[in-house]
Amino acid sequence: MTLPSVQPSAAPPASLELPGHRLLLGTAEPMPLDNGGTLGPFHLAYQTYGTLNADRSNAVLVCHALTGDQYVAERHPITGKPGWWELMVGPGRPIDTDRYFVICSNVIGGCMGSEGPKETDPATGRPWGLSFPVVTIADMVRAQKLLIDHLGIDRLFCVIGGSMGGMQVLEWAATYPERVFAAVPIATAARHSAQNIAFHEVGRQSIMADPDWHGGDYLNRGTRPKRGLAVARMAAHITYLSEPALHRKFGRNLQDRSRISFGFDADFQVESYLRHQGISFVERFDANSYLYITRAMDYFDLAAEHGGVLANAFRTPGPKGGTATPVRFCLVSFSSDWLFPTCESRAVVHALNAVAANVSFVEIESDKGHDAFLLDEPEFYQVVRGFLEGCAEHRGLPRTGS
Amino acid sequence: MTLPSVQPSAAPPASLELPGHRLLLGTAEPMPLDNGGTLGPFHLAYQTYGTLNADRSNAVLVCHALTGDQYVAERHPITGKPGWWELMVGPGRPIDTDRYFVICSNVIGGCMGSEGPKETDPATGRPWGLSFPVVTIADMVRAQKLLIDHLGIDRLFCVIGGSMGGMQVLEWAATYPERVFAAVPIATAARHSAQNIAFHEVGRQSIMADPDWHGGDYLNRGTRPKRGLAVARMAAHITYLSEPALHRKFGRNLQDRSRISFGFDADFQVESYLRHQGISFVERFDANSYLYITRAMDYFDLAAEHGGVLANAFRTPGPKGGTATPVRFCLVSFSSDWLFPTCESRAVVHALNAVAANVSFVEIESDKGHDAFLLDEPEFYQVVRGFLEGCAEHRGLPRTGS
């Protein structure tokens, strides 16, 4: 009847068993963090697709969202499902791996091989748990920049991502404008709204209310707060969709029976669907990582990082109001996204206009809600393809990548 | 740091200790239920305000919402707070207790004295728990009708309520049209949407995932699933508000400190507010009741009860398409209510128009979300006052009640 019947076969595999690259960074000196401390040496796990060209000018950094990871365009090592952005990244896709060299790293604080609460604290030899520092979007980007340095890339051709990925894109453009040619922040915001903080807090409280959480020390206790994490995912998942999409997909359709059961089983298809979302999520995600990454999103406030004026994030100080960012922007929002509604993208566009930056902005008509950026939305892919092709021409990238 | 610090002093008081009336119904014969079974004898707890006039024509039945109760216009016996609708009900208020006799009963399935999972099953002498039958909105209304019979009221002057209360209003008008003079369904719908079922399912899963729930048998185990219920309330509470209201009230304001803590304490005011909502709720509400009442809302589908055509709910069969309901309707919605958006009320209005019923409809401009019907919205109170005064004139009610 209830989630207690959820018994995922096992915890996600140890990071050493995951396919792909895993780099030790911050070895010479630890990386500074926004909380005033440092991190290092630390691991960053990443994947690449395509080939870096001779002058290293065709690199595209993809930034993943809250529960995403580095497996952008290949089978996921745990779920066995296609990569989360195979519609966007691959041969002939808008981010064409025959032309571009695509990099995606798991964020720090994450649970797919990058340093995070699930990993081993070298100082103690035990899982970090809550002793892992609370990191920010800027910290995540700082780690990615070390990776880009390591790969010898002076300037990324493009940084692109949706939702929390879009926050990283904005942070990249604001902090390292000389290292970014083009930026595509999708379905995102320059700061997390009160409502979004509230939804995140519900998810965190659900995890922390699970007795198996053990104050974050569950890995040392041989447990995992599966039920709390599943409920957190269920609540969040509703916010990724839209009422019209839920109505179209499920309506009030009943599950495997002709009439209601007068009980608490999943009578409605939307209930089974949600339960499945919760159950499958705990098989691949770490509960403490969920706390850390939601917190990083809550803390994100790009204007606050620049004296309270968002436009200041996109100009370097100087006479006559400073110099506008050299980065070319293309912002995308989706009409039915109520988690990161269009007005949030528009606020960024206004700030970019205020410094006369190079910016285009498209709101895609879609009833699929926030998740639209992960789904089949032809107009969206056409917009990204067109923008990248235009930028590639400006950048002088040849038609083929290597 | 987390909800584990929540230790409400005690469980809600036993029903016998609650002030007000408590009636034993279904003594001659048990009440039939939609699930095919029966209930009875069973208790119904209720409150009244004002005086019933000589010809018993001035009775207003107020129907409460999911977590409401019969304490409409007096201090709540557990929380000590004002009645939940004191802005609406009282001397000189729109539902003027100097003129009308106001009745409100706790719904069956509830936890404030009416028969529900917290009460004692007479067959076993132990709390019902999950052996209490799963009831519907129609069952709740059937029990209220027995109360109205008991009070010797042939025809209610008005049935009024918001949210789930509005569902009961619609059910009353559809099932007992000859017993209702006027009906005011507020911020409600003729059926629960897929998104709303989804949010309810999250709340139920949160409760059922709490080990202290014990398969619903917690009262016999001396525990209460406080954490699960608190998280359920937090998630639900967000849906009662609106993004603009949350932004206006809290924005990204920090709680009792000048900067973020880089931790999982409640940094933001909206987080403390939500935690408080969760904590205070468990002091007054029963977790199993939460399961039952949310389920009743999920099951509500007035058109389905009438051959799939909503208009059929409002006409009696007969030649030339039958006879329109004699009930006078006033529907109210709020512009920022995304839980029961205006289109839901409009669907009811269309059905009423299709039978040429007497209906008026007002959408109130408000940024306060679904909870607006409980808050200070002068235009809303003006609409209800005006509608009731017009109806009172038609009904021939004198200016003073008794």
Side-chain angles (χ1 to χ4, degrees):
Chain A
M1 167 187 292
T2 68
L3 281 171
S5 61
V6 183
Q7 296 294 344
S9 48
S15 299
L16 290 174
E17 300 162 15
L18 291 170
H21 311 283
R22 192 158 185 254
L23 188 65
L24 194 65
L25 289 169
T27 47
E29 56 177 340
M31 182 178 80
L33 295 173
D34 276 353
N35 75 353
T38 59
L39 182 69
F42 68 96
H43 288 99
L44 203 68
Y46 68 100
Q47 282 296 57
T48 67
Y49 308 92
T51 310
L52 188 61
N53 62 8
D55 61 358
R56 303 180 179 213
S57 62
N58 69 336
V60 173
L61 178 67
V62 171
C63 301
H64 69 73
L66 168 51
T67 69
D69 51 43
Q70 67 271 39
Y71 302 105
V72 176
E74 66 193 289
R75 208 171 62 86
H76 194 275
I78 298 177
T79 66
K81 289 185 181 168
W84 60 268
W85 227 9
E86 292 208 351
L87 291 171
M88 180 68 93
V89 177
R93 297 290 185 187
I95 303 178
D96 187 347
T97 50
D98 289 336
R99 189 174 198 189
Y100 307 115
F101 176 63
V102 174
I103 309 156
C104 182
S105 65
N106 185 217
V107 294
I108 57 168
C111 53
M112 289 297 281
S114 287
E115 208 70 38
K118 181 168 81 67
E119 302 302 317
T120 302
D121 178 357
T124 65
R126 292 157 60 89
W128 283 98
L130 290 203
S131 68
F132 191 77
V134 169
V135 294
T136 64
I137 299 291
D139 292 329
M140 293 174 181
V141 166
R142 210 169 277 132
Q144 289 162 358
K145 194 244 177 198
L146 293 180
L147 168 63
I148 300 309
D149 290 345
H150 166 84
L151 295 174
I153 297 166
D154 282 340
R155 197 175 193 190
L156 290 162
F157 169 62
C158 179
V159 187
I160 185 169
S163 196
M164 185 183 80
M167 292 177 168
Q168 295 163 60
V169 174
L170 292 172
E171 184 70 33
W172 258 101
T175 311
Y176 307 112
E178 75 290 353
R179 303 290 296 270
V180 178
F181 187 79
V184 185
I186 301 159
T188 194
R191 62 184 204 171
H192 218 215
S193 72
Q195 182 169 279
N196 287 2
I197 293 171
F199 275 117
H200 275 175
E201 174 66 1
V202 168
R204 287 191 295 265
Q205 289 295 336
S206 177
I207 290 167
M208 298 194 286
D210 187 330
D212 286 336
W213 181 61
H214 289 297
D217 195 36
Y218 51 88
L219 292 179
N220 286 321
R221 309 284 189 104
T223 63
R224 289 174 65 225
K226 290 177 262 182
R227 299 174 188 192
L229 181 59
V231 170
R233 174 62 166 183
M234 289 171 68
H237 194 77
I238 301 174
T239 70
Y240 302 152
L241 307 176
S242 72
E243 207 286 315
L246 278 168
H247 183 72
R248 179 167 41 76
K249 201 165 176 176
F250 303 110
R252 294 179 48 84
N253 294 340
L254 297 174
Q255 174 75 8
D256 296 335
R257 50 177 78 89
S258 56
R259 63 192 299 270
I260 58 176
S261 71
F262 292 99
F264 300 108
D265 280 340
D267 269 353
F268 296 100
Q269 288 176 8
V270 68
E271 293 176 294
S272 325
Y273 169 77
L274 264 193
R275 291 184 190 189
H276 173 75
Q277 292 296 327
I279 289 167
S280 56
F281 184 60
V282 301
E283 290 174 16
R284 70 174 177 90
F285 215 82
D286 175 64
N288 280 340
S289 271
Y290 199 84
L291 303 182
Y292 276 85
I293 300 177
T294 55
R295 204 47 162 164
M297 291 179 76
D298 290 356
Y299 280 167
F300 187 62
D301 187 347
L302 193 57
E305 294 174 27
H306 294 86
V309 180
L310 187 55
N312 286 349
F314 304 117
R315 71 179 141 213
T316 49
K320 293 184 184 169
T323 314
T325 175
V327 179
R328 290 170 155 73
F329 284 85
C330 175
L331 284 97
V332 181
S333 70
F334 297 91
S335 56
S336 59
D337 184 350
W338 56 278
L339 201 62
F340 290 92
T342 291
C343 60
E344 299 283 5
S345 288
R346 201 169 279 133
V348 177
V349 171
H350 287 172
L352 287 164
N353 284 340
V355 300
N358 190 329
V359 55
S360 66
F361 168 46
V362 181
E363 182 191 49
I364 306 286
E365 279 294 326
S366 162
D367 81 347
K368 293 181 185 142
H370 183 59
D371 262 0
F373 80 95
L374 300 168
L375 302 173
D376 189 17
E377 287 287 355
E379 192 191 347
F380 166 49
Y381 295 106
Q382 207 176 334
V383 163
V384 172
R385 184 189 294 274
F387 176 74
L388 290 184
E389 280 175 1
C391 287
E393 202 167 308
H394 277 285
R395 183 83 169 120
L397 285 190
R399 275 272 153 196
T400 52
S402 51
Chain B
M1 166 188 290
T2 68
L3 282 173
S5 60
V6 183
Q7 296 294 346
S9 48
S15 300
L16 290 174
E17 300 162 16
L18 292 170
H21 310 283
R22 193 161 185 250
L23 188 64
L24 194 64
L25 290 168
T27 46
E29 56 177 339
M31 183 178 78
L33 296 174
D34 276 353
N35 75 353
T38 59
L39 182 68
F42 68 94
H43 287 100
L44 202 69
Y46 68 100
Q47 282 296 56
T48 67
Y49 308 93
T51 309
L52 188 61
N53 62 7
D55 61 359
R56 304 181 180 213
S57 62
N58 70 336
V60 173
L61 178 67
V62 171
C63 300
H64 70 72
L66 169 51
T67 69
D69 51 43
Q70 66 270 41
Y71 301 105
V72 175
E74 66 195 289
R75 208 172 63 85
H76 193 275
I78 299 178
T79 66
K81 289 185 180 165
W84 59 269
W85 227 8
E86 293 209 350
L87 290 172
M88 180 67 93
V89 177
R93 296 290 184 186
I95 302 177
D96 187 348
T97 49
D98 289 337
R99 187 173 199 192
Y100 308 115
F101 175 63
V102 174
I103 309 156
C104 182
S105 66
N106 186 215
V107 294
I108 57 168
C111 53
M112 288 298 280
S114 288
E115 207 69 38
K118 179 167 82 66
E119 301 303 316
T120 302
D121 178 357
T124 65
R126 291 156 62 89
W128 283 97
L130 290 203
S131 68
F132 190 77
V134 169
V135 294
T136 63
I137 299 292
D139 292 329
M140 293 173 179
V141 165
R142 209 169 279 132
Q144 289 163 358
K145 194 246 178 195
L146 292 180
L147 169 63
I148 299 309
D149 290 344
H150 166 84
L151 295 174
I153 297 166
D154 282 338
R155 197 176 192 188
L156 291 163
F157 170 62
C158 180
V159 186
I160 185 169
S163 197
M164 186 182 79
M167 291 177 169
Q168 295 163 60
V169 174
L170 292 172
E171 184 70 33
W172 258 101
T175 311
Y176 308 111
E178 75 289 354
R179 303 290 297 269
V180 179
F181 187 78
V184 185
I186 301 159
T188 194
R191 62 185 206 170
H192 218 214
S193 73
Q195 183 169 281
N196 288 3
I197 294 172
F199 274 118
H200 275 175
E201 174 65 3
V202 167
R204 286 191 294 264
Q205 289 294 336
S206 177
I207 290 166
M208 298 194 286
D210 187 330
D212 286 336
W213 181 61
H214 288 298
D217 195 38
Y218 51 88
L219 291 178
N220 286 320
R221 309 283 190 104
T223 63
R224 287 174 67 225
K226 290 177 258 179
R227 300 174 188 191
L229 181 59
V231 170
R233 174 62 166 183
M234 290 171 68
H237 194 77
I238 301 173
T239 70
Y240 303 152
L241 308 176
S242 73
E243 207 287 315
L246 278 168
H247 182 73
R248 177 168 42 75
K249 199 164 178 179
F250 304 110
R252 293 179 49 86
N253 294 341
L254 296 175
Q255 174 77 8
D256 297 334
R257 49 178 80 88
S258 56
R259 61 191 299 269
I260 57 177
S261 69
F262 292 98
F264 300 108
D265 280 339
D267 268 354
F268 297 100
Q269 288 175 9
V270 68
E271 294 175 295
S272 327
Y273 169 75
L274 264 194
R275 290 183 190 190
H276 172 75
Q277 292 296 328
I279 289 167
S280 55
F281 184 60
V282 301
E283 290 173 17
R284 70 174 177 91
F285 215 82
D286 175 63
N288 280 340
S289 271
Y290 198 84
L291 303 182
Y292 277 85
I293 300 178
T294 55
R295 205 47 164 163
M297 291 179 75
D298 291 356
Y299 280 167
F300 188 62
D301 187 347
L302 193 57
E305 294 174 27
H306 294 84
V309 179
L310 187 54
N312 286 349
F314 304 117
R315 70 179 141 212
T316 48
K320 293 183 186 173
T323 315
T325 175
V327 180
R328 290 169 153 76
F329 284 85
C330 176
L331 283 97
V332 181
S333 70
F334 297 92
S335 58
S336 60
D337 183 350
W338 56 278
L339 202 61
F340 290 90
T342 290
C343 61
E344 300 282 5
S345 288
R346 202 169 279 132
V348 176
V349 171
H350 287 172
L352 287 164
N353 284 341
V355 300
N358 191 330
V359 55
S360 67
F361 169 46
V362 182
E363 182 191 48
I364 306 285
E365 278 295 324
S366 162
D367 81 346
K368 292 180 186 145
H370 183 60
D371 262 359
F373 80 94
L374 300 168
L375 302 173
D376 190 17
E377 287 288 354
E379 192 192 347
F380 165 50
Y381 295 106
Q382 206 176 333
V383 163
V384 172
R385 185 188 294 274
F387 176 73
L388 289 184
E389 280 176 1
C391 287
E393 201 167 308
H394 278 284
R395 183 86 169 116
L397 285 188
R399 276 271 151 199
T400 52
S402 51

